[in-house]
Amino acid sequence: GAGVSQSPSNKVTEKGKDVELRCDPISGHTALYWYRQSLGQGLEFLIYFQGNSAPDKSGLPSDRFSAERTGGSVSTLTIQRTQQEDSAVYLCASSTYTAYEQYFGPGTRLTVT
Amino acid sequence: DAKTTQPNSMESNEEEPVHLPCNHSTISGTDYIHWYRQLPSQGPEYVIHGLTSNVNNRMASLAIAEDRKSSTLILHRATLRDAAVYYCILRDVGTSGSRLTFGEGTQLTVNP
């Protein structure tokens, strides 16, 4: 079946502009996660959605970052007033609530110039 | 989260077994041991997980020490496609829907 998809695959933006990154999780998966991976760095947790519960936003690095999940499915990660340090690969993952494994998408490579 | 320690890099030859070690001396009784891998330019991929007993699946085997302070991921016959960064992660059984905390991982190089 279809895996986690993300769009766009690549995004180049100018410093100060806003960007939106999209994640389509696997159908039926109630849990959705955003991570980011900066060049040469490990993966860093950003935010977690589970069903209708309040999201766990504890990993968001600043108030310029926000995310929403509409209808319990598609999620959008928004970065306002982008900075060069926001350049990274942004990865989305989904899982069923009781599953131990998370399924990752291919990521969106964001470059802020 | 309890911390894991892995070697930065390892090398193997194609079609030979690979044993990737992980130390987790501060593991708690409710921590599962998870392994993920990340191939170049791809998102991480689940490999295997276990709690106390050794585990086998189509991708790999997981050997867990009796005191659970260490574990070993075993690839029985390495292929060039197994070249990746391998992450050993602890995750509390009571928080199965929670985040994964990735460390530096082990970069596995497979030589033809």
Side-chain angles (χ1 to χ4, degrees), chain A residues 31 33 35 37 40-43 45 48 56 58-59 91 97-102 104-106 109, chain B residues 32 34 36 38 41-46 49 87 91 93-94 96-104:
Chain A
Y33 311 77
Y35 298 84
Q37 187 169 31
Q41 305 275 336
L43 285 95
F45 166 79
Y48 160 55
D56 175 359
S58 59
L91 290 153
Y97 179 66
T98 56
Y100 292 101
E101 59 264 37
Q102 295 181 13
F104 283 79
R109 181 175 297 279
Chain B
Y32 275 83
H34 291 250
Y36 280 74
Q38 188 173 23
S41 302
Q42 295 189 27
E45 172 187 33
Y46 167 82
H49 77 276
Y87 296 98
R91 199 171 181 210
V93 66
S96 61
S98 68
R99 71 185 73 180
L100 294 169
T101 302
F102 290 83
E104 301 293 322

